[in-house]
Amino acid sequence: MTELQTQIEDALRKAVVAAMGEACADADPLVTPATNPKFGHYQANLAMGLAKRLGAKPHDLAKQIVAALGTADGLLAEPAAIAGPGFINLTLTDKVLGEHAASMLADDRLGVDTIGSGQRVVVDYSAPNVAKEMHVGHLRSTIIGDAIARTLGFLGYEVIRQNHVGDWGTQFGMLIEHLLDTGYDPHSGGSPGELTALYKAGKQRFDAEPDFAERARQRVVMLQSGDAQTRAVWAALVEDSKHYFQTVYERMNVLLTPDDIRGESFYNDRLAGIVDRLRREEILQESQGANVVFPPGFAGKDGEPLPMIVQKTDGGYLYATTDLAAAMYRVHELGATRLIYVIGLPQRQHVEMFSAVLRQAGWIDPSVRLEFVGFGSVLGPDKKMFKTRSGDTVRLIDLIDEAEQRAAAAIEAKNPDLAEDEKRQVARVVGLGALKYADLSSDRVKDYIFDWDRMLALEGNTAPYMIYSYVRVKSIFRKAEESGFGETEGRQSLGFGGGGGAASSGGIVLTHDAERQLVLQLVQFPQVVRSVADSLEPHRMCSYLYELATRYHRFFEHCPVLRAEDDATRQTRLALCMLVSRVLERGLGLLGIGVVERM
């Protein structure tokens, strides 16, 4: 079945053509769900746009459209109403709402089309550094990037995840030289904490000991030239770090694997070619001994053109050079037509500049989309960068551990009768879900304050509330099983088991306004999934799920399910409960958050 909003838009376009002619067939219906039930179910704002185009009053045009629309072949329960200067309010029939709910329930994909089929997208996210522990600074990129990758994948896009880890550069000369001095065996499988401590010690020596600093610089040259001993130590560090990263990713339930890693070192042999090509394109210039490009549209505080350095005076390359090489690889070798960079907001200008250089040089087709997904910072209660009490950077693994421990304590207090293994599973799902959801539910461009109490609250826009809503639905089916009318039987009696039945003839019959409001929220799910994929803003899914859970609880309070007044009403309400549970589970799954049957 055609999506409900699409069906409304098609009816409005047909009415516009009937009232104003084919010249207006391209008018955007501008349909949105009504924000207040007293104004109907949907609102169309197309008369406003048409008024400017046709030089007429919006209210007059709205009257013509409404007259041509009528009840849109049974779509509307009553003729559309006009509000204000020309808003068109639409109220749908219960039959149409029931049919669309039944169609969603009968579809494994809940009405979401694979609109991305045949399109390849690269999502660049997480990007930790080799030989360093992952910390709170990697939280947002990893969580947001994973939610975007999951959503695009569900829509049928071929998603190529790229973990652009920091595994090259001058810092490795410093670290390797220090490791060799101390006799540390890089093959010993030391903990990430050990390597972080060794890195800090190496940095202190680099800053304080000129002799060591010079040897470290020479070690960089040896690394770049392929010295066997140096490369062996470096390779061991990289391999150790890959195993560590994967441990963290598995704890976080994100999709990244070792195969997704394309570190800075991968592009090292391509960097000289990038500079040569820029020179051949005649856009490379020399500035104070360095090779730079001046992408159009960028200026410094003094108003002078802002350079992007691609090669330093000593011949070394910069992040910009690597990012140019990575973009070329992703477009020309991986075949991507959309590149998504999930990076902190301070890197906006950097991404925009190398993107502009790619366009300036004509290296990628204008149809290729390069999108910067910037995000704000995680702040502590003092509204400063989130750190431990001692002032150290918060380790990511410590956050995950604490989330699970706090969830476990809450579960023990509220439901001590759960089996121990179930308590542990629930603590993992709820704790990690709380950590992720608190991040994703915030508009990504804003900073947010890290607050355990808010994250783990069973009320409000939180993961525990979402998961509890799912648990509440599933408890209905456990009770139904006890009374001989379970989830499977409910699906079959309504025709959702593949055998036709009541659903094929509109078996979801709505009789209460709480049912209607619930269905109106449910049928928006496909549009919300698409809007997340278009805007790359996962908080839209969180807002949708919160409203769905809120409407479900309102439905639960006003509409008895198992004690419904008759079989037909009970079947409808069981069907709506099934649909709510499936949408909650799928929506949370697209955010990388699991569900549990009890909590």
Side-chain angles (χ1 to χ4, degrees), residues 280-552:
R280 290 198 299 272
E281 300 289 351
E282 299 183 348
I283 59 176
L284 189 72
Q285 299 183 40
E286 185 176 309
S287 176
Q288 298 180 12
N291 284 318
V292 306
V293 179
F294 290 94
F298 293 90
K301 292 180 181 179
D302 57 1
E304 292 296 312
L306 192 65
M308 188 182 83
I309 304 173
V310 293
Q311 190 173 29
K312 297 184 292 185
T313 54
D314 63 3
Y317 304 104
L318 288 96
Y319 289 129
T321 330
T322 303
D323 284 327
L324 289 172
M328 293 286 283
Y329 167 74
R330 293 165 181 179
V331 172
H332 297 292
E333 296 183 49
L334 296 182
T337 56
R338 187 179 183 187
L339 307 183
I340 297 170
Y341 295 86
V342 187
I343 310 175
L345 280 174
Q347 298 299 314
R348 174 185 291 278
Q349 186 177 74
H350 168 71
V351 175
E352 290 177 345
M353 286 185 78
F354 79 71
S355 298
V357 170
L358 288 166
R359 304 287 189 198
Q360 182 184 8
W363 289 354
I364 60 173
D365 191 86
S367 64
V368 175
R369 296 166 64 180
L370 286 85
E371 297 170 272
F372 173 68
V373 179
F375 52 84
S377 300
V378 183
L379 306 179
D382 58 358
K383 297 186 179 180
K384 297 179 180 178
M385 297 299 289
F386 186 42
K387 293 182 179 296
T388 65
R389 289 183 179 178
S390 62
D392 293 331
T393 301
V394 179
R395 300 193 314 162
L396 196 46
I397 204 72
D398 289 343
L399 278 183
I400 299 169
D401 287 342
E402 186 167 357
E404 292 183 6
Q405 290 162 7
R406 286 176 176 264
I411 292 159
E412 182 64 39
K414 293 182 179 297
N415 196 354
D417 295 333
L418 277 181
E420 289 302 317
D421 59 342
E422 192 169 8
K423 286 179 186 175
R424 287 191 292 272
Q425 171 63 12
V426 173
R428 281 194 292 269
V429 172
V430 174
L432 181 61
L435 186 64
K436 287 186 170 187
Y437 195 92
D439 193 301
L440 295 169
S441 60
S442 171
D443 186 342
R444 59 173 166 76
V445 300
K446 298 178 180 178
D447 299 341
Y448 76 90
I449 295 175
F450 197 93
D451 182 342
W452 283 118
D453 291 338
R454 182 179 63 84
M455 288 180 184
L456 289 162
L458 268 173
E459 296 178 352
N461 191 13
T462 67
Y465 178 67
M466 298 300 114
I467 297 171
Y468 169 68
S469 300
Y470 178 85
V471 168
R472 198 172 190 184
V473 179
K474 301 304 282 187
S475 70
I476 289 177
F477 287 105
R478 284 197 297 274
K479 293 175 182 176
E481 290 286 355
E482 294 169 3
S483 61
F485 192 89
E487 186 169 356
T488 302
E489 289 81 356
R491 289 178 64 85
Q492 290 174 343
S493 69
L494 283 167
F496 302 131
S504 59
S505 58
I508 294 182
V509 180
L510 308 178
T511 57
H512 194 286
D513 192 58
E515 296 171 342
R516 297 182 189 97
Q517 293 304 315
L518 182 59
V519 169
L520 283 165
Q521 184 70 10
L522 285 164
V523 298
Q524 293 174 38
F525 181 66
Q527 299 152 234
V528 173
V529 176
R530 286 201 307 273
S531 76
V532 172
D534 290 340
S535 66
L536 305 177
E537 295 175 338
H539 77 270
R540 297 185 182 212
M541 178 60 72
C542 297
S543 298
Y544 167 82
L545 293 175
Y546 177 54
E547 180 63 25
L548 175 61
T550 301
R551 293 194 189 193
Y552 171 72

Side-chain angles (χ1 to χ4, degrees), residues 32-298:
T32 57
T35 55
N36 190 328
K38 72 179 183 180
F39 296 128
H41 299 151
Y42 284 84
Q43 184 178 80
N45 195 19
L46 73 170
M48 304 296 185
L50 282 171
K52 294 179 182 178
R53 180 170 165 181
L54 300 176
K57 293 181 179 179
H59 195 274
D60 293 341
L61 295 179
K63 287 174 64 176
Q64 296 177 51
I65 295 167
V66 166
L69 183 64
T71 59
D73 297 327
L75 179 66
L76 304 181
E78 56 193 46
I82 302 172
F87 299 112
I88 299 174
N89 295 331
L90 308 158
T91 301
L92 308 177
T93 66
D94 286 345
K95 181 175 184 293
V96 166
L97 291 175
E99 287 175 347
H100 277 273
S103 176
M104 277 185 72
L105 188 55
D107 180 10
D108 288 340
R109 295 184 52 80
L110 298 167
V112 179
D113 292 332
T114 52
I115 59 172
S117 182
Q119 301 178 61
R120 189 170 292 175
V121 182
V122 163
V123 184
D124 179 328
Y125 66 107
S126 193
N129 292 309
V130 162
K132 291 184 182 180
E133 289 182 281
M134 293 182 70
H135 53 76
V136 68
H138 300 111
L139 178 70
R140 303 210 71 185
S141 177
T142 306
I143 291 174
I144 295 169
D146 194 63
I148 288 170
R150 288 174 184 271
T151 301
L152 291 170
F154 183 57
L155 285 168
Y157 291 91
E158 183 183 351
V159 178
I160 300 175
R161 299 177 296 277
Q162 294 284 272
N163 194 356
H164 192 82
V165 302
D167 66 349
W168 201 250
T170 55
Q171 71 271 27
F172 283 94
M174 177 191 74
L175 177 59
I176 293 169
E177 191 66 22
H178 181 64
L179 293 180
L180 292 173
D181 279 357
T182 59
Y184 179 85
D185 181 3
H187 299 278
S188 64
S191 71
E194 286 182 83
L195 287 175
T196 299
L198 287 164
Y199 179 90
K200 289 179 179 178
K203 180 67 168 63
Q204 290 174 350
R205 292 185 66 193
F206 187 88
D207 293 338
E209 303 175 25
D211 175 65
F212 175 79
E214 180 56 32
R215 286 191 289 119
R217 293 187 188 96
Q218 290 302 315
R219 186 64 64 178
V220 174
V221 175
M222 295 169 74
L223 175 64
Q224 293 173 339
S225 62
D227 174 73
Q229 182 191 35
T230 307
R231 280 291 179 97
V233 175
W234 172 81
L237 292 172
V238 170
E239 199 58 31
D240 259 6
S241 294
K242 283 184 178 180
H243 289 304
Y244 161 67
F245 296 153
Q246 194 56 34
T247 300
V248 178
Y249 293 141
E250 288 174 3
R251 287 285 305 278
M252 292 182 73
N253 185 32
V254 300
L255 300 174
L256 287 168
T257 72
D259 291 339
D260 299 321
I261 289 178
R262 288 290 182 279
E264 295 169 1
S265 62
F266 179 82
Y267 304 101
N268 187 56
D269 295 339
R270 303 166 183 247
L271 303 184
I274 290 292
V275 175
D276 289 343
R277 285 192 64 171
L278 290 169
R279 185 176 288 109
R280 290 198 299 272
E281 300 289 351
E282 299 183 348
I283 59 176
L284 189 72
Q285 299 183 40
E286 185 176 309
S287 176
Q288 298 180 12
N291 284 318
V292 306
V293 179
F294 290 94
F298 293 90

